[in-house]
Amino acid sequence: MLRKATEEDLSALVALRCKAAGTNRADAAGWLQNVAGLENILVLEKSGQPPAAMLAAVPVEYGQHHGIWLCGAAGAQGVPLDRLLPKWIESCLRAYGASGFDFAVMTSDGTQNAETLKALGFAGQLPLRLLQTPIRRDLLAQAVFDSLTVHKLVEMRHIYQPGCICLPEQAMNEIMTQLYRRGLTVVSNRRGYGLYYTRGDTLQFLELQADNDHCADLLLQAAREKTGAQNARILLAENQTLYLGAGRRCGYGMIAFLGRPFPTTDAYYWILYWYVLYYW
């Protein structure tokens, strides 16, 4: 039987989430309740038994267009999720399309998965660039660290990426809280911001937004002065003008139109960085 999750399912869904995402129970519960929202989670169960599988269909916005983010698929041991999921996704696309939603977005976690999504109507129109670069030292580079509120961060993101496919602020609060617990640092000044982890001698930037290349360089240099790391690995949206032409293309974000197609040239799919946290 397929149905929507309820509060009574939370313990079983936490267990499924922990196994699928390799996270702890507190973060799993936070994701289920505050990012996905239990009301947006579909569960598959046999009568009288705990949920055997789940899939979240989270409402998102892209300008005036309403969509869903299909995410968080997980199944209990012995559940053939690889065979069930394509049919499940196909049913979701039909149902949400009939309900007036304009699009669905997902993140591919591998080549085989990407081919499956293409067969269901998804297209890789939300790619990234991965740039690896040494950081030149500049002792005068100025920035502050971990001073942006989530509200201000979202506000700045919309300035640099007005086409951001976005979640509600409550969901962003939970995402940023969990990223911070895993060691995220935010570097910022009046000309931009960046979100990064320190991995040895490399700063791994999940996001970097700035007025131009020089302003981006100053953020990198300030982060180098704080950490001592001399290299950066940066994820950029393909439509960003920073370091134009540099880096290699990575096809993470995929979109399916549930009605009339519309341009996505300015779409910015930051949600996918949640997946990068686990898989990058």
Side-chain angles (χ1 to χ4, degrees), residues 19-59:
K19 179 185 174 186
T23 189
N24 59 57
R25 292 187 63 84
D27 282 355
W31 188 89
L32 291 163
Q33 294 175 298
N34 301 323
V35 178
L38 287 175
E39 69 279 8
N40 301 316
I41 296 175
L42 303 172
V43 298
L44 189 64
E45 69 172 4
K46 290 184 179 179
S47 181
Q49 297 184 19
M54 70 174 182
L55 175 67
V58 184

Side-chain angles (χ1 to χ4, degrees), residues 97-165:
S99 298
F101 285 81
D102 303 312
F103 68 94
V105 286
M106 288 193 73
T107 303
S108 167
D109 58 7
T111 303
Q112 183 176 355
N113 181 246
E115 292 302 316
T116 299
L117 293 180
K118 285 179 182 177
L120 293 171
F122 284 86
Q125 296 183 14
L126 305 169
L128 296 174
R129 284 183 291 133
L130 175 59
L131 173 63
Q132 300 188 67
T133 181
I135 306 173
R136 184 175 59 85
R137 191 167 194 187
D138 185 347
L139 297 174
L140 300 180
Q142 297 292 314
V144 294
F145 295 87
D146 297 332
S147 67
L148 287 183
T149 63
V150 171
H151 180 80
K152 183 63 177 178
L153 175 65
V154 171
E155 189 177 83
M156 289 185 71
R157 180 177 294 136
H158 278 282
I159 292 172
Y160 289 106
Q161 294 288 348
C164 183
I165 297 173

